Amino acid sequence: MPFALSTLDIAVVAAAVVATLLIRKWTRPSYLKNLAGPPNESFATGHMLQIYDPHKFDFHEQLVEQYGGIVKVNGLFGAEHLYVSDPRALNHIVMNDGDIFDIRPQTIALNQMLFGKGLSAVTGSHHKKQRKALNPIFSPSYLAGLVPLFYDVGVELQDMFSSRIGESQSEVLDVLKLISSASLELIARGALGHSFGNLEADAPFRHAAKALMPTLSEVRVGLPLLPNLMKIGTPNFQRFLVDIFPSKPVQALKGLIDTIQNTADMMHGEHAKKLKNGSAADEKNMMSLLFEANSRASEKDRLSKEEVMGLMSLITFAGLDSTSGAITRILHNLTEKPAIQQRLRREIIDSGIGGTVPTSDELNSLPYLDAIIKETLRLFPPLITVDRVAIKDTHIPLLKPVRLNDGEVTNSIFIKKGTSLFIGIATANRSEDVWGPDAKEFKPERWLNSDTPVADKDARLPGVWSSVLTFLGGPRACIGYRFALLEIKVLLVRLIPNFVFESSKEKISWRLDAISSPHVDGDPNLSPRMPLKVSFVGNSTARSL
Ligand code: HEM
């Protein structure tokens, strides 16, 4: 008789996993009981529903305002976590003790399930090996050579805007949709050496890319159980469990993962073929260089096929919604501040940059554009928190002492191995201790006078870029931040001098999911959208700028 599991069997396994978790939590005394934090409202969900509530950034801000730069919050079934935004503590967690605070097993399991064995699903020496292999292809000099390729996509995007507006001179367009297709094509051509055709071509991978984040939002509640469930049986058995799991979003996710993995497999095949027939060296894209270097690497440094495929999928998805969301956020912000939009347009037009293929130095020579990007990404980081777990006991110092529940004031906290924490990227980026009393205001000018306009040098954040935490810092800093900045600049340099962006009648709210995305208020559809009124910059306007 073939082996088969009923829904009841699955429920029993899930209940056993939950019971094990509960017993572990109940029998372990809390060493954090003296640290202040909000009262626990639910034993089952702790503060997780508030922390992950995509509409409640207020909760994050209140944590910091009420309890300070390090706060105890509750996780599922009585678990305790820390929420950290104190700059000195963050320097330790992200930089000095960067190897002690790594990604949590849940997150690693999820990343591995989605993208395979790329950077964000590996730790320790595997992680170091992959970073070493990727550093050359994310270097400023290599990326500078990709600008013409980025520029071609920028021109295609501009054409797409123009054709949509057509004769009418102005039209409400879903700006996010257009920018996302440009972003995907830009990663495909620049990073993967592949093209999904013109920006509007229909491709299964395009659908998967668009659907992944909304589908993940639907299954998010079950994700903390993932690492335990992934320990059950062989990969084939786990696959079987997923196949029979009676849930529409889980089945949708399975289909998306298959598309992602099949596409990575297909691209791996294309590159391996080019390497074999000697044409890889003629290609100008990041993966060709990686394949070539990997073929020459010593056995100890060489990446396996599984790792390379994992990296291809990860790079595509890590760079997609984050960067297209960032560009869309910049445009949204500019609709609310027409004078700033006008001043930016004038800077780009007067510089003459963008009419022909710019160099990366030219793109970096526009101070107001730079300031707007920095200020938008500081105030609105696409990832508002990331999570970590301490893999050793350690102490972390604080810039601002906190008062413990017993009344004592302390300027350092002991952290025990196994403690999970949230790094408050957005709360640190908006901290008055770091940026001064106007920290929460949108003021691009603050960047015109200084590269690091912090109020207190000791309060500098450990960010890899401009002392903001948006791309994190330390061993797990975003490896693609220069790619993202170049992409943002190339696309804005094509769009801003040619189009005026204004609000449409629809009200937009940003959902703070794993990656923030814009949604139309009252829209029952979970898919993100950003309708904006877009008009041609008239000749008279251009002259008057
Ligand atoms: C505005 C755009 C972007 C933002 C805000 C952003 C932000 C981040 C952050 C905060 C992390 C750390 C996540 C963690 O450790 O939990 C990260 C990691 C990563 N990012 Fe980005 N990213 C952006 C664009 C890109 C692009 C364009 C690429 C690739 C082309 C990319 C590739 C990666 C990769 C591979 C990692 C994993 C690094 C590691 O674990 O060592 N990102 N990113």
PDB file of all heavy atoms in Angstrom, residues 59-83:
ATOM      1  N   PHE A  59       3.619  51.722  16.113  1.00  0.00           N
ATOM      2  CA  PHE A  59       3.996  50.821  17.204  1.00  0.00           C
ATOM      3  C   PHE A  59       5.516  50.813  17.387  1.00  0.00           C
ATOM      4  O   PHE A  59       6.017  50.873  18.506  1.00  0.00           O
ATOM      5  CB  PHE A  59       3.479  49.403  16.921  1.00  0.00           C
ATOM      6  CG  PHE A  59       3.819  48.433  18.023  1.00  0.00           C
ATOM      7  CD1 PHE A  59       3.135  48.466  19.228  1.00  0.00           C
ATOM      8  CD2 PHE A  59       4.851  47.503  17.873  1.00  0.00           C
ATOM      9  CE1 PHE A  59       3.468  47.587  20.269  1.00  0.00           C
ATOM     10  CE2 PHE A  59       5.192  46.631  18.903  1.00  0.00           C
ATOM     11  CZ  PHE A  59       4.491  46.678  20.099  1.00  0.00           C
ATOM     12  N   HIS A  60       6.254  50.798  16.280  1.00  0.00           N
ATOM     13  CA  HIS A  60       7.729  50.801  16.359  1.00  0.00           C
ATOM     14  C   HIS A  60       8.206  52.097  17.007  1.00  0.00           C
ATOM     15  O   HIS A  60       9.086  52.099  17.860  1.00  0.00           O
ATOM     16  CB  HIS A  60       8.335  50.691  14.952  1.00  0.00           C
ATOM     17  CG  HIS A  60       8.001  49.407  14.254  1.00  0.00           C
ATOM     18  ND1 HIS A  60       8.950  48.493  13.884  1.00  0.00           N
ATOM     19  CD2 HIS A  60       6.827  48.869  13.854  1.00  0.00           C
ATOM     20  CE1 HIS A  60       8.382  47.456  13.287  1.00  0.00           C
ATOM     21  NE2 HIS A  60       7.094  47.678  13.255  1.00  0.00           N
ATOM     22  N   GLU A  61       7.603  53.216  16.581  1.00  0.00           N
ATOM     23  CA  GLU A  61       8.038  54.512  17.117  1.00  0.00           C
ATOM     24  C   GLU A  61       7.728  54.620  18.611  1.00  0.00           C
ATOM     25  O   GLU A  61       8.534  55.131  19.380  1.00  0.00           O
ATOM     26  CB  GLU A  61       7.383  55.650  16.335  1.00  0.00           C
ATOM     27  CG  GLU A  61       7.895  55.677  14.905  1.00  0.00           C
ATOM     28  CD  GLU A  61       7.615  56.978  14.196  1.00  0.00           C
ATOM     29  OE1 GLU A  61       6.435  57.329  14.070  1.00  0.00           O
ATOM     30  OE2 GLU A  61       8.571  57.631  13.751  1.00  0.00           O
ATOM     31  N   GLN A  62       6.546  54.087  19.001  1.00  0.00           N
ATOM     32  CA  GLN A  62       6.175  54.160  20.428  1.00  0.00           C
ATOM     33  C   GLN A  62       7.113  53.311  21.283  1.00  0.00           C
ATOM     34  O   GLN A  62       7.469  53.693  22.393  1.00  0.00           O
ATOM     35  CB  GLN A  62       4.733  53.701  20.623  1.00  0.00           C
ATOM     36  CG  GLN A  62       3.744  54.797  20.264  1.00  0.00           C
ATOM     37  CD  GLN A  62       2.370  54.229  19.932  1.00  0.00           C
ATOM     38  OE1 GLN A  62       2.089  53.077  20.249  1.00  0.00           O
ATOM     39  NE2 GLN A  62       1.546  55.027  19.275  1.00  0.00           N
ATOM     40  N   LEU A  63       7.530  52.160  20.754  1.00  0.00           N
ATOM     41  CA  LEU A  63       8.469  51.313  21.506  1.00  0.00           C
ATOM     42  C   LEU A  63       9.699  52.124  21.882  1.00  0.00           C
ATOM     43  O   LEU A  63      10.160  52.115  23.019  1.00  0.00           O
ATOM     44  CB  LEU A  63       8.949  50.143  20.630  1.00  0.00           C
ATOM     45  CG  LEU A  63       8.058  48.921  20.471  1.00  0.00           C
ATOM     46  CD1 LEU A  63       8.750  47.887  19.592  1.00  0.00           C
ATOM     47  CD2 LEU A  63       7.737  48.306  21.826  1.00  0.00           C
ATOM     48  N   VAL A  64      10.231  52.836  20.876  1.00  0.00           N
ATOM     49  CA  VAL A  64      11.476  53.580  21.093  1.00  0.00           C
ATOM     50  C   VAL A  64      11.223  54.786  22.006  1.00  0.00           C
ATOM     51  O   VAL A  64      11.987  55.045  22.941  1.00  0.00           O
ATOM     52  CB  VAL A  64      12.075  54.018  19.739  1.00  0.00           C
ATOM     53  CG1 VAL A  64      13.352  54.802  19.939  1.00  0.00           C
ATOM     54  CG2 VAL A  64      12.335  52.792  18.865  1.00  0.00           C
ATOM     55  N   GLU A  65      10.123  55.515  21.730  1.00  0.00           N
ATOM     56  CA  GLU A  65       9.834  56.702  22.553  1.00  0.00           C
ATOM     57  C   GLU A  65       9.626  56.331  24.011  1.00  0.00           C
ATOM     58  O   GLU A  65      10.125  56.976  24.918  1.00  0.00           O
ATOM     59  CB  GLU A  65       8.572  57.403  22.037  1.00  0.00           C
ATOM     60  CG  GLU A  65       8.902  58.505  21.034  1.00  0.00           C
ATOM     61  CD  GLU A  65       7.682  58.859  20.210  1.00  0.00           C
ATOM     62  OE1 GLU A  65       6.564  58.874  20.760  1.00  0.00           O
ATOM     63  OE2 GLU A  65       7.867  59.111  18.996  1.00  0.00           O
ATOM     64  N   GLN A  66       8.879  55.235  24.248  1.00  0.00           N
ATOM     65  CA  GLN A  66       8.526  54.889  25.622  1.00  0.00           C
ATOM     66  C   GLN A  66       9.614  54.138  26.372  1.00  0.00           C
ATOM     67  O   GLN A  66       9.803  54.325  27.561  1.00  0.00           O
ATOM     68  CB  GLN A  66       7.267  54.026  25.626  1.00  0.00           C
ATOM     69  CG  GLN A  66       6.010  54.843  25.880  1.00  0.00           C
ATOM     70  CD  GLN A  66       4.815  53.944  25.855  1.00  0.00           C
ATOM     71  OE1 GLN A  66       4.317  53.619  24.783  1.00  0.00           O
ATOM     72  NE2 GLN A  66       4.359  53.513  27.022  1.00  0.00           N
ATOM     73  N   TYR A  67      10.342  53.259  25.669  1.00  0.00           N
ATOM     74  CA  TYR A  67      11.250  52.361  26.401  1.00  0.00           C
ATOM     75  C   TYR A  67      12.723  52.557  26.037  1.00  0.00           C
ATOM     76  O   TYR A  67      13.588  51.945  26.659  1.00  0.00           O
ATOM     77  CB  TYR A  67      10.850  50.898  26.161  1.00  0.00           C
ATOM     78  CG  TYR A  67       9.425  50.618  26.585  1.00  0.00           C
ATOM     79  CD1 TYR A  67       8.401  50.592  25.650  1.00  0.00           C
ATOM     80  CD2 TYR A  67       9.109  50.421  27.920  1.00  0.00           C
ATOM     81  CE1 TYR A  67       7.087  50.357  26.038  1.00  0.00           C
ATOM     82  CE2 TYR A  67       7.802  50.190  28.318  1.00  0.00           C
ATOM     83  CZ  TYR A  67       6.792  50.161  27.373  1.00  0.00           C
ATOM     84  OH  TYR A  67       5.504  49.932  27.771  1.00  0.00           O
ATOM     85  N   GLY A  68      13.024  53.328  24.997  1.00  0.00           N
ATOM     86  CA  GLY A  68      14.422  53.604  24.691  1.00  0.00           C
ATOM     87  C   GLY A  68      14.969  52.752  23.555  1.00  0.00           C
ATOM     88  O   GLY A  68      14.232  52.137  22.790  1.00  0.00           O
ATOM     89  N   GLY A  69      16.299  52.726  23.461  1.00  0.00           N
ATOM     90  CA  GLY A  69      16.981  52.140  22.288  1.00  0.00           C
ATOM     91  C   GLY A  69      17.093  50.634  22.327  1.00  0.00           C
ATOM     92  O   GLY A  69      17.550  50.018  21.349  1.00  0.00           O
ATOM     93  N   ILE A  70      16.729  50.015  23.468  1.00  0.00           N
ATOM     94  CA  ILE A  70      16.702  48.546  23.493  1.00  0.00           C
ATOM     95  C   ILE A  70      15.500  48.116  24.335  1.00  0.00           C
ATOM     96  O   ILE A  70      15.358  48.527  25.490  1.00  0.00           O
ATOM     97  CB  ILE A  70      18.038  47.953  23.983  1.00  0.00           C
ATOM     98  CG1 ILE A  70      18.029  46.433  23.868  1.00  0.00           C
ATOM     99  CG2 ILE A  70      18.388  48.358  25.407  1.00  0.00           C
ATOM    100  CD1 ILE A  70      19.415  45.836  23.716  1.00  0.00           C
ATOM    101  N   VAL A  71      14.601  47.367  23.733  1.00  0.00           N
ATOM    102  CA  VAL A  71      13.300  47.105  24.335  1.00  0.00           C
ATOM    103  C   VAL A  71      13.016  45.608  24.275  1.00  0.00           C
ATOM    104  O   VAL A  71      13.353  44.954  23.280  1.00  0.00           O
ATOM    105  CB  VAL A  71      12.184  47.836  23.528  1.00  0.00           C
ATOM    106  CG1 VAL A  71      10.838  47.701  24.213  1.00  0.00           C
ATOM    107  CG2 VAL A  71      12.538  49.286  23.292  1.00  0.00           C
ATOM    108  N   LYS A  72      12.386  45.092  25.335  1.00  0.00           N
ATOM    109  CA  LYS A  72      11.990  43.674  25.289  1.00  0.00           C
ATOM    110  C   LYS A  72      10.592  43.583  24.673  1.00  0.00           C
ATOM    111  O   LYS A  72       9.682  44.279  25.107  1.00  0.00           O
ATOM    112  CB  LYS A  72      11.964  43.101  26.704  1.00  0.00           C
ATOM    113  CG  LYS A  72      11.649  41.603  26.710  1.00  0.00           C
ATOM    114  CD  LYS A  72      11.673  41.043  28.096  1.00  0.00           C
ATOM    115  CE  LYS A  72      10.513  41.588  28.900  1.00  0.00           C
ATOM    116  NZ  LYS A  72      10.412  41.023  30.236  1.00  0.00           N
ATOM    117  N   VAL A  73      10.450  42.732  23.644  1.00  0.00           N
ATOM    118  CA  VAL A  73       9.117  42.501  23.067  1.00  0.00           C
ATOM    119  C   VAL A  73       8.852  40.992  23.077  1.00  0.00           C
ATOM    120  O   VAL A  73       9.792  40.201  23.121  1.00  0.00           O
ATOM    121  CB  VAL A  73       8.992  43.043  21.612  1.00  0.00           C
ATOM    122  CG1 VAL A  73       8.992  44.552  21.586  1.00  0.00           C
ATOM    123  CG2 VAL A  73      10.087  42.493  20.712  1.00  0.00           C
ATOM    124  N   ASN A  74       7.582  40.630  23.051  1.00  0.00           N
ATOM    125  CA  ASN A  74       7.249  39.204  23.094  1.00  0.00           C
ATOM    126  C   ASN A  74       6.995  38.631  21.715  1.00  0.00           C
ATOM    127  O   ASN A  74       6.387  39.278  20.857  1.00  0.00           O
ATOM    128  CB  ASN A  74       6.017  38.986  23.971  1.00  0.00           C
ATOM    129  CG  ASN A  74       6.366  39.215  25.425  1.00  0.00           C
ATOM    130  OD1 ASN A  74       6.110  40.279  25.972  1.00  0.00           O
ATOM    131  ND2 ASN A  74       7.007  38.234  26.040  1.00  0.00           N
ATOM    132  N   GLY A  75       7.489  37.393  21.549  1.00  0.00           N
ATOM    133  CA  GLY A  75       7.250  36.675  20.299  1.00  0.00           C
ATOM    134  C   GLY A  75       6.125  35.672  20.498  1.00  0.00           C
ATOM    135  O   GLY A  75       5.313  35.798  21.413  1.00  0.00           O
ATOM    136  N   LEU A  76       6.102  34.631  19.639  1.00  0.00           N
ATOM    137  CA  LEU A  76       5.037  33.634  19.727  1.00  0.00           C
ATOM    138  C   LEU A  76       5.210  32.784  20.974  1.00  0.00           C
ATOM    139  O   LEU A  76       6.336  32.444  21.349  1.00  0.00           O
ATOM    140  CB  LEU A  76       5.078  32.726  18.489  1.00  0.00           C
ATOM    141  CG  LEU A  76       4.956  33.392  17.117  1.00  0.00           C
ATOM    142  CD1 LEU A  76       4.880  32.336  16.020  1.00  0.00           C
ATOM    143  CD2 LEU A  76       3.727  34.303  17.047  1.00  0.00           C
ATOM    144  N   PHE A  77       4.129  32.451  21.630  1.00  0.00           N
ATOM    145  CA  PHE A  77       4.097  31.533  22.763  1.00  0.00           C
ATOM    146  C   PHE A  77       5.134  31.863  23.835  1.00  0.00           C
ATOM    147  O   PHE A  77       5.908  31.003  24.260  1.00  0.00           O
ATOM    148  CB  PHE A  77       4.281  30.081  22.282  1.00  0.00           C
ATOM    149  CG  PHE A  77       3.249  29.683  21.269  1.00  0.00           C
ATOM    150  CD1 PHE A  77       3.605  29.428  19.951  1.00  0.00           C
ATOM    151  CD2 PHE A  77       1.908  29.600  21.623  1.00  0.00           C
ATOM    152  CE1 PHE A  77       2.649  29.097  19.010  1.00  0.00           C
ATOM    153  CE2 PHE A  77       0.946  29.255  20.681  1.00  0.00           C
ATOM    154  CZ  PHE A  77       1.315  29.004  19.378  1.00  0.00           C
ATOM    155  N   GLY A  78       5.179  33.123  24.246  1.00  0.00           N
ATOM    156  CA  GLY A  78       6.020  33.520  25.376  1.00  0.00           C
ATOM    157  C   GLY A  78       7.485  33.748  25.037  1.00  0.00           C
ATOM    158  O   GLY A  78       8.276  34.061  25.936  1.00  0.00           O
ATOM    159  N   ALA A  79       7.883  33.605  23.791  1.00  0.00           N
ATOM    160  CA  ALA A  79       9.294  33.866  23.443  1.00  0.00           C
ATOM    161  C   ALA A  79       9.597  35.351  23.672  1.00  0.00           C
ATOM    162  O   ALA A  79       8.694  36.191  23.625  1.00  0.00           O
ATOM    163  CB  ALA A  79       9.537  33.516  21.987  1.00  0.00           C
ATOM    164  N   GLU A  80      10.877  35.657  23.971  1.00  0.00           N
ATOM    165  CA  GLU A  80      11.248  37.061  24.177  1.00  0.00           C
ATOM    166  C   GLU A  80      12.261  37.488  23.117  1.00  0.00           C
ATOM    167  O   GLU A  80      13.186  36.742  22.800  1.00  0.00           O
ATOM    168  CB  GLU A  80      11.858  37.230  25.577  1.00  0.00           C
ATOM    169  CG  GLU A  80      10.821  37.086  26.670  1.00  0.00           C
ATOM    170  CD  GLU A  80      11.429  37.159  28.065  1.00  0.00           C
ATOM    171  OE1 GLU A  80      12.612  36.821  28.219  1.00  0.00           O
ATOM    172  OE2 GLU A  80      10.712  37.563  28.977  1.00  0.00           O
ATOM    173  N   HIS A  81      12.059  38.682  22.589  1.00  0.00           N
ATOM    174  CA  HIS A  81      12.982  39.235  21.594  1.00  0.00           C
ATOM    175  C   HIS A  81      13.380  40.635  22.038  1.00  0.00           C
ATOM    176  O   HIS A  81      12.735  41.223  22.901  1.00  0.00           O
ATOM    177  CB  HIS A  81      12.309  39.362  20.228  1.00  0.00           C
ATOM    178  CG  HIS A  81      11.726  38.099  19.701  1.00  0.00           C
ATOM    179  ND1 HIS A  81      12.481  37.032  19.293  1.00  0.00           N
ATOM    180  CD2 HIS A  81      10.438  37.719  19.509  1.00  0.00           C
ATOM    181  CE1 HIS A  81      11.692  36.060  18.872  1.00  0.00           C
ATOM    182  NE2 HIS A  81      10.449  36.450  19.002  1.00  0.00           N
ATOM    183  N   LEU A  82      14.409  41.156  21.389  1.00  0.00           N
ATOM    184  CA  LEU A  82      14.789  42.545  21.644  1.00  0.00           C
ATOM    185  C   LEU A  82      14.496  43.372  20.400  1.00  0.00           C
ATOM    186  O   LEU A  82      14.589  42.866  19.277  1.00  0.00           O
ATOM    187  CB  LEU A  82      16.293  42.623  21.954  1.00  0.00           C
ATOM    188  CG  LEU A  82      16.741  41.884  23.208  1.00  0.00           C
ATOM    189  CD1 LEU A  82      18.257  41.880  23.311  1.00  0.00           C
ATOM    190  CD2 LEU A  82      16.124  42.549  24.441  1.00  0.00           C
ATOM    191  N   TYR A  83      14.158  44.637  20.638  1.00  0.00           N
ATOM    192  CA  TYR A  83      13.984  45.575  19.520  1.00  0.00           C
ATOM    193  C   TYR A  83      15.048  46.652  19.723  1.00  0.00           C
ATOM    194  O   TYR A  83      15.035  47.368  20.721  1.00  0.00           O
ATOM    195  CB  TYR A  83      12.577  46.179  19.559  1.00  0.00           C
ATOM    196  CG  TYR A  83      12.279  47.027  18.345  1.00  0.00           C
ATOM    197  CD1 TYR A  83      11.547  46.518  17.280  1.00  0.00           C
ATOM    198  CD2 TYR A  83      12.760  48.338  18.242  1.00  0.00           C
ATOM    199  CE1 TYR A  83      11.281  47.289  16.158  1.00  0.00           C
ATOM    200  CE2 TYR A  83      12.505  49.104  17.124  1.00  0.00           C
ATOM    201  CZ  TYR A  83      11.754  48.578  16.084  1.00  0.00           C
ATOM    202  OH  TYR A  83      11.505  49.335  14.972  1.00  0.00           O
TER     203      TYR A  83
END
